[in-house]
Amino acid sequence: MEQVILILSIIVGTFSILFSVKTLVETRRKSYDDFLKKRNERNQKI
Amino acid sequence: MKKRKWFIYTVIIGLLPLFIRSFLFIVMNGLEVSYILNEVDLVTFGLVLHISNINELEDKEGIDKVWKTTSIGISVVMLVLFSALLAIGYISDIATSININRATLKGCALFLGVASFISSFSIYNRLNKIEGWNK
């Protein structure tokens, strides 16, 4: 019984971590894009 | 702000049993170090994090639907796994005749607990940033 739970835990846990890392990277990228957009708008006003 | 609230109200509350066990370990004599890390406490921590994820994502509008559905799906699967771990943990407590490897159980709970923390952090981090964009 523990073996089944162990294998399931490794599969689900690894998938969850990979998806989280993907989410973190996407969020970081979007945040940086937003920063660049705001900076360009500010520069255009000047 | 949302991330700080998540940390205070969810992570610290979820880790409360661990803090209490650590306090008891310091105060009382004759306890082993393994007493601090209990599989049922780790499972409770994971359950608290995933319930809060689902609750937070459920009524959020204006975010990527595919990401939202995947996140809720992962949380539901993790809840099922944690419930199974909790059931095995309780069975191993009451039925000593059934041979269950508690070290494996503890390893699974620890790994899933860490995965849950990273998952929950990434969800709240994204929600925090998205709400920051909408302002």
Side-chain angles (χ1 to χ4, degrees), chain A residues 1-3 5-17 19-24 26-28 30-31 34 38, chain B residues 67 70-71 74 77-78 81 84-85 88 99-101 104-105 108 111-112 115-116 118-119 121-123 125-126 129 133:
Chain A
M1 189 160 56
E2 311 98 68
Q3 301 299 321
I5 290 288
L6 179 68
I7 292 164
L8 277 175
S9 300
I10 290 169
I11 293 168
V12 176
T14 308
F15 181 73
S16 170
I17 289 171
F19 185 72
S20 308
V21 170
K22 183 177 168 275
T23 303
L24 285 169
E26 272 180 6
T27 309
R28 181 80 183 159
K30 280 183 185 174
S31 177
D34 188 55
K38 278 183 181 170
Chain B
W67 175 76
T70 314
S71 300
I74 288 173
V77 172
M78 291 286 256
L81 255 179
L85 278 176
I88 294 171
N99 187 23
I100 292 172
N101 189 351
T104 312
L105 210 62
C108 287
F111 179 63
L112 285 180
S116 302
I118 296 169
S119 169
F121 175 80
S122 73
I123 287 171
N125 183 49
R126 181 164 172 149
K129 300 275 182 187
W133 294 333

Side-chain angles (χ1 to χ4, degrees), chain B residues 10-82:
Chain B
T10 311
V11 177
I12 292 180
I13 297 298
L15 285 175
L16 214 56
L18 198 86
F19 294 145
I20 293 168
R21 277 180 185 274
S22 307
F23 176 71
L24 287 177
F25 175 73
I26 294 165
V27 171
M28 291 173 75
N29 291 324
L31 291 174
E32 290 178 13
V33 185
S34 61
Y35 173 79
I36 297 172
L37 216 60
N38 186 278
E39 57 270 21
V40 175
D41 294 348
L42 290 166
V43 167
T44 315
F45 173 63
L47 286 174
V48 167
L49 287 183
H50 286 294
I51 288 290
S52 77
N53 287 352
I54 293 171
N55 182 47
E56 195 62 40
L57 286 170
E58 198 58 48
D59 58 346
K60 277 278 176 290
E61 299 293 334
I63 53 172
D64 185 7
K65 280 187 179 173
V66 176
W67 175 76
K68 183 180 162 181
T69 310
T70 314
S71 300
I72 291 177
I74 288 173
S75 288
V76 169
V77 172
M78 291 286 256
L79 278 179
V80 172
L81 255 179
F82 275 122

